[in-house]
Amino acid sequence: MSEGDRDLLVAAAWLHDIGYAPDLRDTGFHPLDGARYLETLGAPSRLVRLVAHHSGAVYEAEQRGLTAELAVYDREDSPVLDALIYADMTTGPAGQSFVFDSRIDEILERYEPGSEVHNAISKARPYLGAAVGRTLARLGDQPT
């Protein structure tokens, strides 16, 4: 990964949940609200797109009826997006480390069955797991 991609990944990791900030809430869907806010600040388009699509956001957008709104931001399938998903799917809300399956279980326990997040994470699990697996393989921690 290039130095520029590493810097972009760090910025996206720091900013991916900015859309949870109450003052930025518009749709109530934090990836979209965060991307829109960053766009108003003139943030680099790749950063905006990574925030918009972090951690399988398209699955939750479907649940919330916001697919068209999210589609304004192209999703890149790249090692950078995979690494961002890895970071989010192996770190808990208080910064604790998780293995992927435990992190997914933690999310599913926090959100009621039938909720948008619970449904989306359940559907996204294979996609998210594949991104985590590719990142681990790139790090040399397991075969592809």
Side-chain angles (χ1 to χ4, degrees):
M1 186 178 291
S2 71
E3 185 176 339
D5 279 355
R6 287 192 302 270
D7 290 344
L8 177 64
L9 173 59
V10 170
W14 276 103
L15 295 170
H16 76 280
D17 281 344
I18 195 169
Y20 278 125
D23 290 347
L24 305 184
R25 186 180 175 94
D26 178 34
T27 66
F29 180 41
H30 79 277
L32 183 57
D33 292 342
R36 286 177 172 176
Y37 174 70
L38 291 172
E39 196 170 41
T40 68
L41 297 178
S45 62
R46 251 186 106 194
L47 176 60
V48 171
R49 293 191 314 265
L50 287 165
V51 168
H53 286 284
H54 78 272
S55 300
V58 67
Y59 292 90
E60 190 173 339
E62 290 170 1
Q63 295 292 313
R64 294 178 177 271
L66 294 169
T67 303
E69 291 84 345
L70 185 63
V72 168
Y73 304 101
D74 292 333
R75 185 182 78 203
E76 68 175 67
D77 291 315
S78 70
V80 176
L81 181 59
D82 283 352
L84 180 59
I85 292 169
Y86 170 84
D88 197 19
M89 292 296 116
T90 60
T91 307
Q96 65 274 50
S97 290
F98 280 99
V99 295
F100 173 73
D101 285 323
S102 295
R103 172 69 165 131
I104 295 293
D105 292 344
E106 179 274 324
I107 295 168
L108 294 176
E109 288 172 15
R110 273 192 294 128
Y111 292 91
E112 184 176 323
S115 70
E116 289 99 346
V117 174
H118 194 281
N119 290 343
I121 289 295
S122 296
K123 289 177 95 174
R125 190 176 201 146
Y127 167 77
L128 299 171
V132 168
R134 287 188 299 270
T135 300
L136 289 170
R138 288 181 188 107
L139 293 170
D141 289 347
Q142 75 179 33
T144 55

